[in-house]
Amino acid sequence: MNGVGVPLVTPFDEDGDVDETALRELVAWVETRGVDFLVPCGSNSEVELLTADERARVVEIVAAETDLPVLAGTGSPGRRETLLATEDAADAGADAALVVTPFYYDHSQAALEEYYREVADAAPLPIYLYSVPAYTGVALEPETVGRLASHPNVAGMKDSSGDVASFIQTKRATADADFELMVGSGSVFAQALDVGAAGGVLALANVAPEAASDVYETHATDPAAARERNAGLVGLNEAVTSEFGIPGLKWAMRERGAPAGRVRSPHQPPDEEAKAAIAALLDEL
């Protein structure tokens, strides 16, 4: 799981069902545009609006349609449900599991650490930690991650906090482990690469996979140019994440010819003002 990963959206049809044909086409659309691995059933996949069977089916389709590594989102608020989803993902052909921090109830860092150890002990796939405080209200602290990084079945982490200082601390805390630390915010992708990120799992890569890949590839030889390229993508990244969310992301993808499908209720399509703002940013690509 190095380079650019796509937290792949889930296309839905007019009836709100998973559009399996569009999903297959979407895998090909992003794969031919230079990404390095695929991440079905993450936050941008509307995963919390999917049933357990739908999640397993989405992973199965993605794994069947690509030769790239597949990092499947399997996390839920409880250990039992998470392990069942991880087993389903393994059966469906995933290479590793992305496990979000338990949410809804509040848990201490000690409880989160024990939870991840229990999941990693039992899981049939390598586990990647997933910290996304904007959705869960909790962040994994660098010291917690540092202790978990030594577990033989904890392979890495996606940090979607957008906090570069915390990312640096986490990188230092895991420096002695075989641990792939990835950033989850396209706005700070180049900065994360500056401090040793293995790559990024970026919503931005759904709509602009070529641009995200260009940042990663350019950084290997010209970090300053990569930072400049990344700076030009911040507006679009913010628009399709924090500002207009998944409805805006899917609309932007469709504007670029990607078979993104529709959103699932209670999401609603973006209004005309949002469309105009996104369109202006797409014109800058």
Side-chain angles (χ1 to χ4, degrees):
M1 308 298 167
N2 291 276
V4 175
V6 186
L8 204 65
V9 304
T10 306
F12 299 108
D13 62 22
E14 293 181 354
D15 296 322
D17 295 324
V18 176
D19 188 335
E20 295 189 0
T21 298
L23 179 58
R24 292 186 178 93
E25 293 171 351
L26 180 59
V27 170
W29 192 87
V30 296
E31 185 173 328
T32 58
R33 285 163 173 79
V35 302
D36 299 295
F37 59 100
L38 301 181
V39 188
C41 297
S43 300
N44 288 282
S45 311
E46 298 170 82
V47 66
E48 294 306 323
L49 308 182
L50 296 174
T51 68
D53 287 344
E54 286 174 331
R55 289 174 70 156
R57 179 62 176 156
V58 165
V59 175
E60 181 180 32
I61 291 170
V62 172
E65 292 296 318
T66 187
D67 292 326
L68 298 176
V70 174
L71 174 60
T74 64
S76 286
R79 180 186 65 183
R80 181 169 297 187
E81 190 175 0
T82 294
L83 285 172
L84 287 173
T86 304
E87 290 166 5
D88 286 344
D91 292 341
D95 298 291
L98 182 66
V99 178
V100 70
T101 51
F103 50 92
Y104 192 83
Y105 297 109
D106 291 333
H107 303 289
S108 68
Q109 290 292 307
L112 293 173
E113 181 177 343
E114 182 59 24
Y115 164 81
Y116 276 114
R117 290 190 185 281
E118 291 173 351
V119 169
D121 284 345
L125 292 173
I127 296 300
Y128 284 73
L129 316 177
Y130 180 21
S131 184
V132 56
Y135 287 150
T136 63
V138 61
L140 285 172
E141 295 177 358
E143 296 80 7
T144 305
V145 180
R147 290 189 294 270
L148 287 169
S150 62
H151 191 290
N153 201 37
V154 174
M157 175 180 173
K158 176 188 177 185
D159 178 2
S160 291
S161 68
D163 185 337
V164 176
S166 178
F167 192 91
I168 292 170
Q169 291 176 308
T170 303
K171 182 62 181 173
R172 287 173 60 88
T174 59
D176 295 331
D178 184 10
F179 189 82
E180 296 173 344
L181 182 59
M182 301 178 290
V183 69
S185 172
S187 294
V188 295
F189 186 28
Q191 287 81 0
L193 293 173
D194 283 343
V195 297
V201 180
L202 312 173
L204 179 69
N206 275 291
V207 65
E210 310 97 326
S213 294
D214 182 53
V215 171
Y216 180 74
E217 293 167 3
T218 300
H219 191 274
T221 56
D222 192 342
R227 289 192 293 273
E228 181 66 22
R229 177 67 169 129
N230 200 158
L233 298 170
V234 170
L236 178 59
N237 181 71
E238 295 299 303
V240 300
T241 55
S242 59
E243 191 170 2
F244 302 117
I246 294 168
L249 173 60
K250 282 188 165 180
W251 186 86
M253 292 173 68
R254 293 195 300 272
E255 285 294 290
R256 297 210 70 214
R262 290 168 168 77
V263 291
R264 179 172 271 186
S265 180
H267 288 308
Q268 297 296 314
D271 61 24
E272 294 306 313
E273 184 177 353
K275 291 178 183 178
I278 297 169
L281 292 164
L282 292 176
D283 287 342
E284 298 176 4
L285 281 177

